[in-house]
Amino acid sequence: MQNEPNIQKDLTLLRPFDLEKAMNGELLTDVFNETIYKYLGHSKRGKNVVIQVISSVYDIVDTIININEYELTRLRMNPLGWVENKPVYPEDVLYWNNKTSRPGSKFIAKSTKYDYGINGHSYCTNGISYEGENQWMTLGDLTWNKPKS
């Protein structure tokens, strides 16, 4: 996500390009997490993929003309957001942190909601599911640290 506050990101944790996920519509990013791409197919050269620029930290993007070839080795899967300097992907398990109303509740990431939050599903500390399929959480209210039992 491009509009997050300046946080230190561990870019080495970005997941590598996954053809199946890209073909199913998951977005891609570069190794610096500065531009978001949509996969369109493989180039005739084989080692490159054809991508469409969706957004970039550098400028306003005209997605109609921003179709390029890109080296496969320089692409990564685009995270939903960043929590504690680590990328968050669909199905990752996080927890409500101590700033929230129910610290320790489990949160399973699903999709991006806004630049500062993600959709997912929450479970109380006793394992009971919160009502509703999609709960929205701000990234600052989540942690990777599992609560101590």
Side-chain angles (χ1 to χ4, degrees), residues 17 19 23 28 38-52 67-73 75:
F17 176 81
L19 178 60
M23 289 175 65
L28 308 170
K38 179 180 177 182
Y39 173 81
L40 299 178
H42 269 71
S43 72
K44 293 179 182 176
R45 296 178 199 167
K47 292 185 179 182
N48 292 347
V49 292
V50 179
I51 46 91
Q52 179 179 20
I67 296 176
N68 303 299
E69 284 190 26
Y70 209 79
E71 291 178 37
L72 190 60
T73 58
L75 288 172

Side-chain angles (χ1 to χ4, degrees), residues 4 33 38 59 91 101 106 115 121 138 141:
E4 294 175 24
N33 194 221
K38 179 180 177 182
D59 54 22
E91 304 304 319
S101 59
K106 185 181 354 179
D115 282 347
H121 196 80
T138 59
D141 287 338

Side-chain angles (χ1 to χ4, degrees), residues 6 20 25 27 38 45 49 55 59 76 103-104 107 110 116 132:
N6 282 335
E20 185 176 333
L27 296 176
K38 179 180 177 182
R45 296 178 199 167
V49 292
S55 67
D59 54 22
R76 303 290 182 268
F107 182 82
K110 297 291 182 197
Y116 51 88

Side-chain angles (χ1 to χ4, degrees), residues 23-145:
M23 289 175 65
N24 285 324
E26 287 192 32
L27 296 176
L28 308 170
T29 190
D30 54 54
V31 294
F32 303 108
N33 194 221
E34 294 175 332
T35 304
I36 298 175
Y37 305 101
K38 179 180 177 182
Y39 173 81
L40 299 178
H42 269 71
S43 72
K44 293 179 182 176
R45 296 178 199 167
K47 292 185 179 182
N48 292 347
V49 292
V50 179
I51 46 91
Q52 179 179 20
V53 177
I54 302 298
S55 67
S56 175
V57 296
Y58 298 110
D59 54 22
I60 297 174
V61 175
D62 182 347
T63 56
I64 295 171
I65 60 170
N66 271 308
I67 296 176
N68 303 299
E69 284 190 26
Y70 209 79
E71 291 178 37
L72 190 60
T73 58
R74 299 191 44 84
L75 288 172
R76 303 290 182 268
M77 300 309 295
N78 190 57
L80 301 175
W82 294 82
V83 170
E84 299 167 343
N85 307 331
K86 297 176 184 175
V88 178
Y89 289 95
E91 304 304 319
D92 280 350
V93 176
L94 297 106
Y95 300 90
W96 292 29
N97 65 25
N98 290 331
K99 296 187 294 183
T100 61
S101 59
R102 296 192 175 112
S105 294
K106 185 181 354 179
F107 182 82
I108 300 175
K110 297 291 182 197
S111 61
T112 301
K113 175 72 172 176
Y114 300 109
D115 282 347
Y116 51 88
I118 53 177
N119 275 334
H121 196 80
S122 294
Y123 298 85
C124 298
T125 52
N126 64 5
I128 297 174
S129 174
Y130 286 96
E131 288 187 33
E133 281 299 308
N134 286 313
Q135 287 96 32
W136 177 81
M137 291 289 290
T138 59
L139 296 167
D141 287 338
L142 294 168
T143 181
W144 289 101
N145 302 319

Side-chain angles (χ1 to χ4, degrees), residues 9-20:
K9 298 175 181 179
D10 187 347
L11 298 173
T12 64
L13 298 176
L14 287 170
R15 293 186 182 164
F17 176 81
D18 182 315
L19 178 60
E20 185 176 333

